[in-house]
Amino acid sequence: MQQQIAAPHAPRVPRLTPGARKAVVILHVISSVGWLGLNLGTLTLSVIGLTTSSADRQHAAFGALAMLGESLLIPMSLTAFGTGLVLAFGTRWGLVRYWWVLVKFVLTLIAVVLIPLSLLPGIREVADTVGGTPPGQLVDLGAGAADLIVAGCVSTAMYTASVVLSVLKPRRRTRWGRN
């Protein structure tokens, strides 16, 4: 008689305890809302810096944009991303079982990757250009600086979609969640 070998089971990540889940949810909501607020602040500063006719206001807006972006964007995005992964793997939702979780993961991953590769270099370039200009002198940054506004609008739409998905939690499962 032939002996059957059991198929290896995928290792299961232990579920979070109710107290740990609540703590991670709180940290996730704080970091996600903070990230959204930071995004709206950077978008506002970009619009002010690109549309003002006051040199002092332009210098102040882009100086503040650089300080906020360089000090907070990466930590906030990574905290939101990391706590989201902990919640995905540590709760019944999983990472790929439900469409809403998978879409949030992809949107967040895109933003986390684009911040250091695209957004922060753009912020640094504009801030360096304005910072290298004498005080009281308005800088024409050209059409390329408008990318900051486009990036702010796109990321706001992405974060808003994530909030809507988190609140509505559509129950539709992916093919991996149906198996």
Side-chain angles (χ1 to χ4, degrees):
M1 197 167 228
Q2 235 178 3
Q3 185 179 14
Q4 287 187 328
I5 299 173
H9 295 290
R12 291 209 173 252
V13 177
R15 295 268 170 99
L16 293 170
T17 64
R21 186 190 67 76
K22 286 178 185 175
V24 175
V25 166
I26 289 169
L27 184 56
H28 183 66
V29 170
I30 289 170
S31 61
S32 298
V33 169
W35 191 14
L36 176 59
L38 180 60
N39 178 72
L40 292 171
T42 58
L43 175 59
T44 302
L45 289 169
S46 297
V47 169
I48 290 169
L50 291 170
T51 61
T52 187
S53 59
S54 164
D56 291 338
R57 198 171 161 123
Q58 183 186 52
H59 284 252
F62 285 125
L65 176 64
M67 284 189 284
L68 283 175
E70 291 175 356
S71 62
L72 292 175
L73 277 172
I74 289 178
M76 286 297 238
S77 65
L78 290 177
T79 303
F81 184 71
T83 54
L85 285 176
V86 169
L87 290 170
F89 289 117
T91 65
R92 67 183 176 96
W93 298 109
L95 184 62
V96 296
R97 292 180 67 203
Y98 291 89
W99 279 108
W100 72 272
V101 178
L102 185 57
V103 169
K104 275 186 64 175
F105 169 72
V106 169
L107 291 175
T108 305
L109 180 62
I110 290 168
V112 165
V113 169
L114 288 180
I115 286 170
L117 295 180
S118 180
L119 182 60
L120 285 177
I123 289 173
R124 283 186 193 109
E125 182 181 335
V126 169
D128 288 347
T129 301
V130 172
T133 304
Q137 184 177 336
L138 197 61
V139 181
D140 180 10
L141 295 165
D147 290 347
L148 291 175
I149 295 174
V150 172
C153 291
V154 169
S155 57
T156 299
M158 290 169 51
Y159 305 153
T160 302
S162 292
V163 169
V164 170
L165 289 171
S166 294
V167 171
L168 297 181
K169 292 182 178 60
R171 301 291 183 183
R172 189 166 159 239
R173 291 181 179 230
T174 65
R175 67 179 173 148
W176 302 287
R178 289 188 294 264
N179 294 339

